[in-house]
Amino acid sequence: MPTIYVKLSPVFLAAFTDLVEKLSRHASLQLSVPLNGPEADDEDMLEAWKAGLLETVRDDCERLLHVLKDTGLGQQPVKLSEDDAIKVLRASSAVRLKIQQHFLKQFSDEVLETVG
């Protein structure tokens, strides 16, 4: 199992945790990106599909919040199962998309990818 060491400032950790909590609470409002799903003429199927995606986002965010708050992140090793690691990565990706949409929307994807 790979080991990843992460050091976070308490200020960043608090701000990031707050952002993840807000995303988790408001995940029922909208998806971050438009997705192709079931046929648009089957509204019931489309709504059920979107509801399932949003529930997954909330579940993933809850797992990420657990890692951020309850595991001693930055103070002691955190061990994640493969399933939990995938949830944390998906939640982190969802948070990244929201940050890009709300705080970095004036920058193109090309600019963001080249900033280093």
PDB file of all heavy atoms in Angstrom, residues 23 26-38 45-58 60 93-95 97-98 101-102:
ATOM      1  N   LEU A  23     -20.284  22.136   0.180  1.00  0.00           N
ATOM      2  CA  LEU A  23     -20.547  21.363  -1.024  1.00  0.00           C
ATOM      3  C   LEU A  23     -21.440  20.174  -0.709  1.00  0.00           C
ATOM      4  O   LEU A  23     -22.390  19.889  -1.437  1.00  0.00           O
ATOM      5  CB  LEU A  23     -19.235  20.879  -1.651  1.00  0.00           C
ATOM      6  CG  LEU A  23     -19.383  19.950  -2.854  1.00  0.00           C
ATOM      7  CD1 LEU A  23     -20.096  20.662  -4.000  1.00  0.00           C
ATOM      8  CD2 LEU A  23     -18.036  19.425  -3.304  1.00  0.00           C
ATOM      9  N   HIS A  26     -25.040  21.368  -0.135  1.00  0.00           N
ATOM     10  CA  HIS A  26     -25.711  21.917  -1.307  1.00  0.00           C
ATOM     11  C   HIS A  26     -25.587  21.034  -2.541  1.00  0.00           C
ATOM     12  O   HIS A  26     -25.997  21.449  -3.628  1.00  0.00           O
ATOM     13  CB  HIS A  26     -25.172  23.321  -1.612  1.00  0.00           C
ATOM     14  CG  HIS A  26     -25.401  24.269  -0.480  1.00  0.00           C
ATOM     15  ND1 HIS A  26     -26.654  24.703  -0.111  1.00  0.00           N
ATOM     16  CD2 HIS A  26     -24.539  24.846   0.387  1.00  0.00           C
ATOM     17  CE1 HIS A  26     -26.553  25.509   0.930  1.00  0.00           C
ATOM     18  NE2 HIS A  26     -25.283  25.606   1.252  1.00  0.00           N
ATOM     19  N   ALA A  27     -25.072  19.832  -2.377  1.00  0.00           N
ATOM     20  CA  ALA A  27     -24.909  18.933  -3.525  1.00  0.00           C
ATOM     21  C   ALA A  27     -26.246  18.583  -4.144  1.00  0.00           C
ATOM     22  O   ALA A  27     -26.306  18.226  -5.320  1.00  0.00           O
ATOM     23  CB  ALA A  27     -24.161  17.663  -3.111  1.00  0.00           C
ATOM     24  N   SER A  28     -27.310  18.697  -3.393  1.00  0.00           N
ATOM     25  CA  SER A  28     -28.615  18.350  -3.953  1.00  0.00           C
ATOM     26  C   SER A  28     -29.122  19.408  -4.927  1.00  0.00           C
ATOM     27  O   SER A  28     -30.085  19.181  -5.638  1.00  0.00           O
ATOM     28  CB  SER A  28     -29.632  18.168  -2.831  1.00  0.00           C
ATOM     29  OG  SER A  28     -29.755  19.371  -2.103  1.00  0.00           O
ATOM     30  N   LEU A  29     -28.466  20.563  -4.974  1.00  0.00           N
ATOM     31  CA  LEU A  29     -28.960  21.636  -5.821  1.00  0.00           C
ATOM     32  C   LEU A  29     -28.595  21.468  -7.286  1.00  0.00           C
ATOM     33  O   LEU A  29     -29.381  21.782  -8.161  1.00  0.00           O
ATOM     34  CB  LEU A  29     -28.430  22.988  -5.319  1.00  0.00           C
ATOM     35  CG  LEU A  29     -28.827  23.352  -3.894  1.00  0.00           C
ATOM     36  CD1 LEU A  29     -28.207  24.685  -3.499  1.00  0.00           C
ATOM     37  CD2 LEU A  29     -30.338  23.415  -3.768  1.00  0.00           C
ATOM     38  N   GLN A  30     -27.377  21.015  -7.559  1.00  0.00           N
ATOM     39  CA  GLN A  30     -26.964  20.903  -8.950  1.00  0.00           C
ATOM     40  C   GLN A  30     -25.712  20.059  -9.075  1.00  0.00           C
ATOM     41  O   GLN A  30     -24.942  19.926  -8.138  1.00  0.00           O
ATOM     42  CB  GLN A  30     -26.691  22.279  -9.537  1.00  0.00           C
ATOM     43  CG  GLN A  30     -25.502  22.977  -8.900  1.00  0.00           C
ATOM     44  CD  GLN A  30     -25.249  24.343  -9.488  1.00  0.00           C
ATOM     45  OE1 GLN A  30     -26.066  24.876 -10.199  1.00  0.00           O
ATOM     46  NE2 GLN A  30     -24.102  24.902  -9.200  1.00  0.00           N
ATOM     47  N   LEU A  31     -25.538  19.524 -10.264  1.00  0.00           N
ATOM     48  CA  LEU A  31     -24.299  18.836 -10.588  1.00  0.00           C
ATOM     49  C   LEU A  31     -23.257  19.878 -10.962  1.00  0.00           C
ATOM     50  O   LEU A  31     -23.589  20.965 -11.426  1.00  0.00           O
ATOM     51  CB  LEU A  31     -24.507  17.873 -11.757  1.00  0.00           C
ATOM     52  CG  LEU A  31     -25.439  16.692 -11.496  1.00  0.00           C
ATOM     53  CD1 LEU A  31     -25.705  15.934 -12.785  1.00  0.00           C
ATOM     54  CD2 LEU A  31     -24.829  15.760 -10.463  1.00  0.00           C
ATOM     55  N   SER A  32     -21.989  19.552 -10.793  1.00  0.00           N
ATOM     56  CA  SER A  32     -20.922  20.497 -11.125  1.00  0.00           C
ATOM     57  C   SER A  32     -20.740  20.655 -12.623  1.00  0.00           C
ATOM     58  O   SER A  32     -20.361  21.709 -13.102  1.00  0.00           O
ATOM     59  CB  SER A  32     -19.601  20.035 -10.510  1.00  0.00           C
ATOM     60  OG  SER A  32     -19.665  20.097  -9.120  1.00  0.00           O
ATOM     61  N   VAL A  33     -20.960  19.581 -13.336  1.00  0.00           N
ATOM     62  CA  VAL A  33     -20.763  19.612 -14.784  1.00  0.00           C
ATOM     63  C   VAL A  33     -21.963  18.966 -15.463  1.00  0.00           C
ATOM     64  O   VAL A  33     -22.597  18.076 -14.902  1.00  0.00           O
ATOM     65  CB  VAL A  33     -19.470  18.872 -15.199  1.00  0.00           C
ATOM     66  CG1 VAL A  33     -18.239  19.596 -14.700  1.00  0.00           C
ATOM     67  CG2 VAL A  33     -19.476  17.441 -14.735  1.00  0.00           C
ATOM     68  N   PRO A  34     -22.296  19.408 -16.676  1.00  0.00           N
ATOM     69  CA  PRO A  34     -23.377  18.743 -17.397  1.00  0.00           C
ATOM     70  C   PRO A  34     -22.914  17.356 -17.848  1.00  0.00           C
ATOM     71  O   PRO A  34     -21.801  17.194 -18.322  1.00  0.00           O
ATOM     72  CB  PRO A  34     -23.637  19.667 -18.592  1.00  0.00           C
ATOM     73  CG  PRO A  34     -22.412  20.498 -18.737  1.00  0.00           C
ATOM     74  CD  PRO A  34     -21.736  20.536 -17.391  1.00  0.00           C
ATOM     75  N   LEU A  35     -23.751  16.374 -17.665  1.00  0.00           N
ATOM     76  CA  LEU A  35     -23.399  15.009 -18.036  1.00  0.00           C
ATOM     77  C   LEU A  35     -24.460  14.434 -18.955  1.00  0.00           C
ATOM     78  O   LEU A  35     -25.620  14.787 -18.867  1.00  0.00           O
ATOM     79  CB  LEU A  35     -23.298  14.130 -16.783  1.00  0.00           C
ATOM     80  CG  LEU A  35     -22.247  14.519 -15.764  1.00  0.00           C
ATOM     81  CD1 LEU A  35     -22.383  13.660 -14.522  1.00  0.00           C
ATOM     82  CD2 LEU A  35     -20.860  14.353 -16.339  1.00  0.00           C
ATOM     83  N   ASN A  36     -24.022  13.547 -19.813  1.00  0.00           N
ATOM     84  CA  ASN A  36     -24.967  12.825 -20.657  1.00  0.00           C
ATOM     85  C   ASN A  36     -25.429  11.607 -19.886  1.00  0.00           C
ATOM     86  O   ASN A  36     -24.629  10.790 -19.472  1.00  0.00           O
ATOM     87  CB  ASN A  36     -24.307  12.400 -21.966  1.00  0.00           C
ATOM     88  CG  ASN A  36     -23.922  13.589 -22.812  1.00  0.00           C
ATOM     89  OD1 ASN A  36     -24.599  14.594 -22.795  1.00  0.00           O
ATOM     90  ND2 ASN A  36     -22.818  13.485 -23.525  1.00  0.00           N
ATOM     91  N   GLY A  37     -26.702  11.516 -19.680  1.00  0.00           N
ATOM     92  CA  GLY A  37     -27.259  10.391 -18.946  1.00  0.00           C
ATOM     93  C   GLY A  37     -28.351   9.727 -19.753  1.00  0.00           C
ATOM     94  O   GLY A  37     -28.288   9.708 -20.982  1.00  0.00           O
ATOM     95  N   PRO A  38     -29.355   9.249 -19.079  1.00  0.00           N
ATOM     96  CA  PRO A  38     -30.474   8.617 -19.770  1.00  0.00           C
ATOM     97  C   PRO A  38     -31.139   9.607 -20.733  1.00  0.00           C
ATOM     98  O   PRO A  38     -30.945  10.812 -20.643  1.00  0.00           O
ATOM     99  CB  PRO A  38     -31.436   8.241 -18.633  1.00  0.00           C
ATOM    100  CG  PRO A  38     -30.610   8.256 -17.412  1.00  0.00           C
ATOM    101  CD  PRO A  38     -29.513   9.259 -17.641  1.00  0.00           C
ATOM    102  N   MET A  45     -36.534   8.811 -15.285  1.00  0.00           N
ATOM    103  CA  MET A  45     -35.236   8.123 -15.280  1.00  0.00           C
ATOM    104  C   MET A  45     -34.101   9.128 -15.117  1.00  0.00           C
ATOM    105  O   MET A  45     -33.166   8.901 -14.357  1.00  0.00           O
ATOM    106  CB  MET A  45     -35.054   7.329 -16.568  1.00  0.00           C
ATOM    107  CG  MET A  45     -33.710   6.634 -16.654  1.00  0.00           C
ATOM    108  SD  MET A  45     -33.480   5.393 -15.380  1.00  0.00           S
ATOM    109  CE  MET A  45     -34.142   3.990 -16.223  1.00  0.00           C
ATOM    110  N   LEU A  46     -34.184  10.260 -15.803  1.00  0.00           N
ATOM    111  CA  LEU A  46     -33.156  11.292 -15.714  1.00  0.00           C
ATOM    112  C   LEU A  46     -33.061  11.839 -14.294  1.00  0.00           C
ATOM    113  O   LEU A  46     -31.954  12.005 -13.763  1.00  0.00           O
ATOM    114  CB  LEU A  46     -33.455  12.413 -16.711  1.00  0.00           C
ATOM    115  CG  LEU A  46     -32.382  13.471 -16.904  1.00  0.00           C
ATOM    116  CD1 LEU A  46     -31.071  12.851 -17.346  1.00  0.00           C
ATOM    117  CD2 LEU A  46     -32.843  14.517 -17.909  1.00  0.00           C
ATOM    118  N   GLU A  47     -34.198  12.101 -13.661  1.00  0.00           N
ATOM    119  CA  GLU A  47     -34.197  12.617 -12.289  1.00  0.00           C
ATOM    120  C   GLU A  47     -33.631  11.580 -11.305  1.00  0.00           C
ATOM    121  O   GLU A  47     -32.874  11.933 -10.397  1.00  0.00           O
ATOM    122  CB  GLU A  47     -35.595  13.048 -11.864  1.00  0.00           C
ATOM    123  CG  GLU A  47     -36.038  14.346 -12.500  1.00  0.00           C
ATOM    124  CD  GLU A  47     -35.078  15.493 -12.253  1.00  0.00           C
ATOM    125  OE1 GLU A  47     -34.667  15.708 -11.090  1.00  0.00           O
ATOM    126  OE2 GLU A  47     -34.723  16.189 -13.227  1.00  0.00           O
ATOM    127  N   ALA A  48     -33.998  10.323 -11.488  1.00  0.00           N
ATOM    128  CA  ALA A  48     -33.466   9.267 -10.613  1.00  0.00           C
ATOM    129  C   ALA A  48     -31.965   9.128 -10.797  1.00  0.00           C
ATOM    130  O   ALA A  48     -31.216   8.947  -9.825  1.00  0.00           O
ATOM    131  CB  ALA A  48     -34.164   7.935 -10.910  1.00  0.00           C
ATOM    132  N   TRP A  49     -31.503   9.235 -12.027  1.00  0.00           N
ATOM    133  CA  TRP A  49     -30.072   9.128 -12.324  1.00  0.00           C
ATOM    134  C   TRP A  49     -29.314  10.280 -11.660  1.00  0.00           C
ATOM    135  O   TRP A  49     -28.296  10.071 -10.994  1.00  0.00           O
ATOM    136  CB  TRP A  49     -29.892   9.141 -13.843  1.00  0.00           C
ATOM    137  CG  TRP A  49     -28.480   9.043 -14.309  1.00  0.00           C
ATOM    138  CD1 TRP A  49     -27.681   7.936 -14.293  1.00  0.00           C
ATOM    139  CD2 TRP A  49     -27.700  10.098 -14.867  1.00  0.00           C
ATOM    140  NE1 TRP A  49     -26.450   8.242 -14.816  1.00  0.00           N
ATOM    141  CE2 TRP A  49     -26.442   9.568 -15.182  1.00  0.00           C
ATOM    142  CE3 TRP A  49     -27.956  11.432 -15.145  1.00  0.00           C
ATOM    143  CZ2 TRP A  49     -25.422  10.327 -15.752  1.00  0.00           C
ATOM    144  CZ3 TRP A  49     -26.945  12.191 -15.717  1.00  0.00           C
ATOM    145  CH2 TRP A  49     -25.703  11.633 -16.010  1.00  0.00           C
ATOM    146  N   LYS A  50     -29.819  11.519 -11.811  1.00  0.00           N
ATOM    147  CA  LYS A  50     -29.171  12.682 -11.193  1.00  0.00           C
ATOM    148  C   LYS A  50     -29.189  12.569  -9.674  1.00  0.00           C
ATOM    149  O   LYS A  50     -28.206  12.894  -9.013  1.00  0.00           O
ATOM    150  CB  LYS A  50     -29.853  13.981 -11.626  1.00  0.00           C
ATOM    151  CG  LYS A  50     -29.518  14.392 -13.023  1.00  0.00           C
ATOM    152  CD  LYS A  50     -30.201  15.718 -13.357  1.00  0.00           C
ATOM    153  CE  LYS A  50     -29.886  16.161 -14.754  1.00  0.00           C
ATOM    154  NZ  LYS A  50     -30.557  17.428 -15.102  1.00  0.00           N
ATOM    155  N   ALA A  51     -30.305  12.100  -9.113  1.00  0.00           N
ATOM    156  CA  ALA A  51     -30.400  11.942  -7.659  1.00  0.00           C
ATOM    157  C   ALA A  51     -29.352  10.953  -7.164  1.00  0.00           C
ATOM    158  O   ALA A  51     -28.732  11.159  -6.117  1.00  0.00           O
ATOM    159  CB  ALA A  51     -31.801  11.483  -7.266  1.00  0.00           C
ATOM    160  N   GLY A  52     -29.148   9.883  -7.909  1.00  0.00           N
ATOM    161  CA  GLY A  52     -28.119   8.906  -7.545  1.00  0.00           C
ATOM    162  C   GLY A  52     -26.725   9.503  -7.576  1.00  0.00           C
ATOM    163  O   GLY A  52     -25.900   9.251  -6.684  1.00  0.00           O
ATOM    164  N   LEU A  53     -26.440  10.301  -8.599  1.00  0.00           N
ATOM    165  CA  LEU A  53     -25.130  10.965  -8.681  1.00  0.00           C
ATOM    166  C   LEU A  53     -24.913  11.915  -7.509  1.00  0.00           C
ATOM    167  O   LEU A  53     -23.839  11.948  -6.900  1.00  0.00           O
ATOM    168  CB  LEU A  53     -25.006  11.740  -9.993  1.00  0.00           C
ATOM    169  CG  LEU A  53     -24.815  10.931 -11.261  1.00  0.00           C
ATOM    170  CD1 LEU A  53     -24.808  11.857 -12.470  1.00  0.00           C
ATOM    171  CD2 LEU A  53     -23.536  10.130 -11.207  1.00  0.00           C
ATOM    172  N   LEU A  54     -25.940  12.703  -7.199  1.00  0.00           N
ATOM    173  CA  LEU A  54     -25.821  13.663  -6.106  1.00  0.00           C
ATOM    174  C   LEU A  54     -25.672  12.966  -4.757  1.00  0.00           C
ATOM    175  O   LEU A  54     -24.928  13.433  -3.888  1.00  0.00           O
ATOM    176  CB  LEU A  54     -27.015  14.618  -6.114  1.00  0.00           C
ATOM    177  CG  LEU A  54     -27.076  15.534  -7.345  1.00  0.00           C
ATOM    178  CD1 LEU A  54     -28.405  16.256  -7.402  1.00  0.00           C
ATOM    179  CD2 LEU A  54     -25.920  16.522  -7.343  1.00  0.00           C
ATOM    180  N   GLU A  55     -26.349  11.851  -4.580  1.00  0.00           N
ATOM    181  CA  GLU A  55     -26.204  11.079  -3.340  1.00  0.00           C
ATOM    182  C   GLU A  55     -24.778  10.544  -3.217  1.00  0.00           C
ATOM    183  O   GLU A  55     -24.190  10.551  -2.126  1.00  0.00           O
ATOM    184  CB  GLU A  55     -27.218   9.930  -3.299  1.00  0.00           C
ATOM    185  CG  GLU A  55     -27.158   9.121  -2.025  1.00  0.00           C
ATOM    186  CD  GLU A  55     -27.424   9.935  -0.763  1.00  0.00           C
ATOM    187  OE1 GLU A  55     -28.227  10.885  -0.816  1.00  0.00           O
ATOM    188  OE2 GLU A  55     -26.812   9.629   0.277  1.00  0.00           O
ATOM    189  N   THR A  56     -24.202  10.119  -4.322  1.00  0.00           N
ATOM    190  CA  THR A  56     -22.815   9.647  -4.314  1.00  0.00           C
ATOM    191  C   THR A  56     -21.868  10.779  -3.931  1.00  0.00           C
ATOM    192  O   THR A  56     -20.940  10.583  -3.147  1.00  0.00           O
ATOM    193  CB  THR A  56     -22.435   9.063  -5.691  1.00  0.00           C
ATOM    194  OG1 THR A  56     -23.274   7.940  -5.963  1.00  0.00           O
ATOM    195  CG2 THR A  56     -20.986   8.618  -5.728  1.00  0.00           C
ATOM    196  N   VAL A  57     -22.112  11.983  -4.469  1.00  0.00           N
ATOM    197  CA  VAL A  57     -21.275  13.137  -4.121  1.00  0.00           C
ATOM    198  C   VAL A  57     -21.360  13.412  -2.624  1.00  0.00           C
ATOM    199  O   VAL A  57     -20.343  13.630  -1.955  1.00  0.00           O
ATOM    200  CB  VAL A  57     -21.682  14.393  -4.928  1.00  0.00           C
ATOM    201  CG1 VAL A  57     -20.995  15.640  -4.381  1.00  0.00           C
ATOM    202  CG2 VAL A  57     -21.357  14.215  -6.396  1.00  0.00           C
ATOM    203  N   ARG A  58     -22.573  13.395  -2.078  1.00  0.00           N
ATOM    204  CA  ARG A  58     -22.733  13.646  -0.634  1.00  0.00           C
ATOM    205  C   ARG A  58     -22.013  12.581   0.195  1.00  0.00           C
ATOM    206  O   ARG A  58     -21.329  12.895   1.169  1.00  0.00           O
ATOM    207  CB  ARG A  58     -24.214  13.704  -0.264  1.00  0.00           C
ATOM    208  CG  ARG A  58     -24.871  15.026  -0.629  1.00  0.00           C
ATOM    209  CD  ARG A  58     -26.264  15.148  -0.038  1.00  0.00           C
ATOM    210  NE  ARG A  58     -27.185  14.163  -0.572  1.00  0.00           N
ATOM    211  CZ  ARG A  58     -27.854  14.272  -1.705  1.00  0.00           C
ATOM    212  NH1 ARG A  58     -27.710  15.342  -2.444  1.00  0.00           N
ATOM    213  NH2 ARG A  58     -28.673  13.323  -2.105  1.00  0.00           N
ATOM    214  N   ASP A  60     -19.462  10.719  -0.749  1.00  0.00           N
ATOM    215  CA  ASP A  60     -18.020  10.915  -0.915  1.00  0.00           C
ATOM    216  C   ASP A  60     -17.524  12.084  -0.061  1.00  0.00           C
ATOM    217  O   ASP A  60     -16.478  12.001   0.586  1.00  0.00           O
ATOM    218  CB  ASP A  60     -17.675  11.172  -2.385  1.00  0.00           C
ATOM    219  CG  ASP A  60     -17.913   9.960  -3.276  1.00  0.00           C
ATOM    220  OD1 ASP A  60     -18.086   8.838  -2.754  1.00  0.00           O
ATOM    221  OD2 ASP A  60     -17.931  10.142  -4.512  1.00  0.00           O
ATOM    222  N   SER A  93     -12.119  15.798  -6.205  1.00  0.00           N
ATOM    223  CA  SER A  93     -12.339  16.243  -7.577  1.00  0.00           C
ATOM    224  C   SER A  93     -13.576  17.133  -7.666  1.00  0.00           C
ATOM    225  O   SER A  93     -13.576  18.155  -8.364  1.00  0.00           O
ATOM    226  CB  SER A  93     -12.487  15.024  -8.493  1.00  0.00           C
ATOM    227  OG  SER A  93     -12.668  15.429  -9.821  1.00  0.00           O
ATOM    228  N   ALA A  94     -14.639  16.771  -6.961  1.00  0.00           N
ATOM    229  CA  ALA A  94     -15.853  17.591  -6.949  1.00  0.00           C
ATOM    230  C   ALA A  94     -15.575  18.960  -6.343  1.00  0.00           C
ATOM    231  O   ALA A  94     -16.052  19.985  -6.842  1.00  0.00           O
ATOM    232  CB  ALA A  94     -16.965  16.879  -6.175  1.00  0.00           C
ATOM    233  N   VAL A  95     -14.780  18.991  -5.282  1.00  0.00           N
ATOM    234  CA  VAL A  95     -14.421  20.267  -4.649  1.00  0.00           C
ATOM    235  C   VAL A  95     -13.580  21.096  -5.616  1.00  0.00           C
ATOM    236  O   VAL A  95     -13.793  22.304  -5.766  1.00  0.00           O
ATOM    237  CB  VAL A  95     -13.678  20.037  -3.323  1.00  0.00           C
ATOM    238  CG1 VAL A  95     -13.109  21.332  -2.777  1.00  0.00           C
ATOM    239  CG2 VAL A  95     -14.603  19.389  -2.304  1.00  0.00           C
ATOM    240  N   LEU A  97     -13.689  21.074  -8.862  1.00  0.00           N
ATOM    241  CA  LEU A  97     -14.582  21.627  -9.877  1.00  0.00           C
ATOM    242  C   LEU A  97     -15.342  22.839  -9.352  1.00  0.00           C
ATOM    243  O   LEU A  97     -15.502  23.844 -10.054  1.00  0.00           O
ATOM    244  CB  LEU A  97     -15.570  20.560 -10.353  1.00  0.00           C
ATOM    245  CG  LEU A  97     -15.011  19.494 -11.283  1.00  0.00           C
ATOM    246  CD1 LEU A  97     -16.023  18.370 -11.476  1.00  0.00           C
ATOM    247  CD2 LEU A  97     -14.614  20.088 -12.619  1.00  0.00           C
ATOM    248  N   LYS A  98     -15.822  22.763  -8.115  1.00  0.00           N
ATOM    249  CA  LYS A  98     -16.543  23.900  -7.525  1.00  0.00           C
ATOM    250  C   LYS A  98     -15.620  25.103  -7.338  1.00  0.00           C
ATOM    251  O   LYS A  98     -16.022  26.247  -7.588  1.00  0.00           O
ATOM    252  CB  LYS A  98     -17.175  23.513  -6.190  1.00  0.00           C
ATOM    253  CG  LYS A  98     -18.394  22.656  -6.339  1.00  0.00           C
ATOM    254  CD  LYS A  98     -19.499  23.405  -7.063  1.00  0.00           C
ATOM    255  CE  LYS A  98     -20.763  22.577  -7.098  1.00  0.00           C
ATOM    256  NZ  LYS A  98     -21.821  23.221  -7.855  1.00  0.00           N
ATOM    257  N   GLN A 101     -15.213  26.630 -10.723  1.00  0.00           N
ATOM    258  CA  GLN A 101     -16.428  27.304 -11.183  1.00  0.00           C
ATOM    259  C   GLN A 101     -16.708  28.605 -10.449  1.00  0.00           C
ATOM    260  O   GLN A 101     -17.206  29.565 -11.034  1.00  0.00           O
ATOM    261  CB  GLN A 101     -17.638  26.388 -11.012  1.00  0.00           C
ATOM    262  CG  GLN A 101     -17.682  25.260 -11.986  1.00  0.00           C
ATOM    263  CD  GLN A 101     -18.844  24.324 -11.685  1.00  0.00           C
ATOM    264  OE1 GLN A 101     -19.415  24.339 -10.602  1.00  0.00           O
ATOM    265  NE2 GLN A 101     -19.184  23.497 -12.653  1.00  0.00           N
ATOM    266  N   HIS A 102     -16.410  28.652  -9.157  1.00  0.00           N
ATOM    267  CA  HIS A 102     -16.802  29.812  -8.360  1.00  0.00           C
ATOM    268  C   HIS A 102     -15.690  30.834  -8.139  1.00  0.00           C
ATOM    269  O   HIS A 102     -15.969  32.025  -7.996  1.00  0.00           O
ATOM    270  CB  HIS A 102     -17.358  29.370  -7.006  1.00  0.00           C
ATOM    271  CG  HIS A 102     -18.655  28.642  -7.131  1.00  0.00           C
ATOM    272  ND1 HIS A 102     -19.843  29.281  -7.366  1.00  0.00           N
ATOM    273  CD2 HIS A 102     -18.945  27.325  -7.095  1.00  0.00           C
ATOM    274  CE1 HIS A 102     -20.815  28.402  -7.460  1.00  0.00           C
ATOM    275  NE2 HIS A 102     -20.303  27.203  -7.299  1.00  0.00           N
TER     276      HIS A 102
END
